[in-house]
Amino acid sequence: MRVFYILFRKEFKNYFLTPFGWVVLALVLFMQGLSMSSAMEQMKDAPMLDNFLLVSLKTPNFWFYFLFIFPLLTMRLFADEAKTGTLETLMTAPVTTTQVVFSKYLAAFCFYALLWLPLLLHLKIFALVTGQPAPVETGHILGTYSILLLMGAFFLAIGCFASTLTSSQIVAGIITIAFLVILFFLGFIPYYTGEGFKANVLFQYVSIQEHLINFAKGLVDTRPIVYYLSMAGLFLFLTHMTLDFRRWKV
């Protein structure tokens, strides 16, 4: 446990000891504010049935920066160490592959979770600007944070796996974003195929857009929870297997 904590602390601190982590935090903070500003404009122009958080998360701005968070956070985890040669040194040290994989993954997940804390600040700013509390309930906030963390767990695992496949950060980032874009567009297939397509149930089950909308409305479903956690486990297992293969090669 002590070895795991040392590895985790080292990886987590790297996000704050380099300009990269602060740039990502500033970028996400800016884009969150932009999405909420767009939501306020929409709610000002016409009545909205959805709550304020859901309106802001359904804007194109949100999906643009949301999908790019994960390659930014994960592309360097293993690829950079493979390029500099420190990964081989790490693999020959008295640490297990499991400790290496989960320490890097957990550090990325904790930093990712911190990126969403400013949402609460934006809700406070909304109240200060308008003089009224934001049109959102506690259930909406909890549901939104739940689905963002669940999707983050899955997508970060994809990024970790991609980072073990190459020694190039750019290639790892491209692989990650390619996976995520495919998952994103799978959710649109039912809209184009119509209700008669029998596989629509499957595409709706994996639709990240549907999951986000339902949870942001406070409608918590156990099926997406099982889906995201199981898929995160699968990709972490693949990451472990790939890294273990490198260990034996060393």
Side-chain angles (χ1 to χ4, degrees):
M1 192 64 184
R2 180 173 176 271
V3 174
F4 173 82
Y5 175 72
I6 292 173
L7 292 173
F8 164 77
R9 185 176 61 180
K10 170 183 173 293
E11 292 295 331
F12 188 65
K13 285 172 62 178
N14 281 341
Y15 287 107
F16 296 97
L17 296 179
T18 60
F20 174 79
W22 293 103
V23 170
V24 173
L25 181 59
L27 176 63
V28 172
L29 182 61
F30 172 75
M31 294 303 294
Q32 285 177 1
L34 191 62
S35 295
M36 289 199 167
S37 297
S38 299
M40 291 177 68
E41 288 293 328
Q42 294 180 41
M43 299 184 78
K44 181 188 70 173
D45 296 336
M48 304 294 292
L49 295 176
D50 298 323
N51 65 75
F52 178 62
L53 268 182
L54 179 55
V55 174
S56 66
L57 297 179
K58 288 169 64 177
T59 61
N61 293 334
F62 168 77
W63 289 110
F64 175 78
Y65 77 84
F66 177 69
L67 295 179
F68 277 93
I69 290 175
F70 305 100
L72 291 176
L73 294 184
T74 59
M75 63 184 184
R76 54 166 289 278
L77 289 181
F78 298 98
D80 186 53
E81 296 210 35
K83 182 179 181 179
T84 58
T86 56
L87 184 61
E88 285 73 15
T89 304
L90 182 62
M91 290 293 94
T92 56
V95 296
T96 65
T97 305
T98 302
Q99 289 172 332
V100 173
V101 170
F102 278 95
S103 61
K104 289 179 176 291
Y105 172 75
L106 186 60
F109 182 80
C110 289
F111 185 77
Y112 167 80
L114 288 177
L115 296 178
W116 298 105
L117 290 180
L119 275 180
L120 299 176
L121 176 62
H122 287 302
L123 295 178
K124 292 293 184 182
I125 294 175
F126 179 96
L128 291 175
V129 171
T130 62
Q132 297 179 352
V136 60
E137 302 293 337
T138 303
H140 301 149
I141 298 174
L142 294 178
T144 299
Y145 271 94
S146 297
I147 194 60
L148 289 175
L149 293 179
L150 286 169
M151 289 196 291
F154 176 23
F155 297 165
L156 288 171
I158 293 176
C160 286
F161 173 63
S163 188
T164 61
L165 298 177
T166 177
S167 60
S168 170
Q169 295 186 48
I170 296 177
V171 174
I174 292 174
I175 294 173
T176 303
I177 198 64
F179 266 103
L180 299 184
V181 168
I182 291 172
L183 285 172
F184 177 76
F185 281 104
L186 284 178
F188 290 107
I189 290 180
Y191 295 101
Y192 293 105
T193 57
E195 297 181 0
F197 189 50
K198 295 182 179 180
N200 279 347
V201 176
L202 174 62
F203 291 119
Q204 290 172 350
Y205 179 78
V206 300
S207 172
I208 59 178
Q209 298 93 332
E210 290 293 327
H211 298 158
L212 181 66
I213 291 172
N214 290 335
F215 273 71
K217 289 180 178 179
L219 305 175
V220 177
D221 189 352
T222 57
R223 290 174 298 176
I225 297 175
V226 173
Y227 167 67
Y228 286 115
L229 294 182
S230 60
M231 293 303 293
L234 172 62
F235 275 90
L236 286 177
F237 172 74
L238 294 175
T239 303
H240 185 283
M241 295 294 291
T242 306
L243 204 60
D244 225 18
F245 176 73
R246 285 192 174 187
R247 176 189 283 269
W248 287 110
K249 283 183 63 178
V250 174

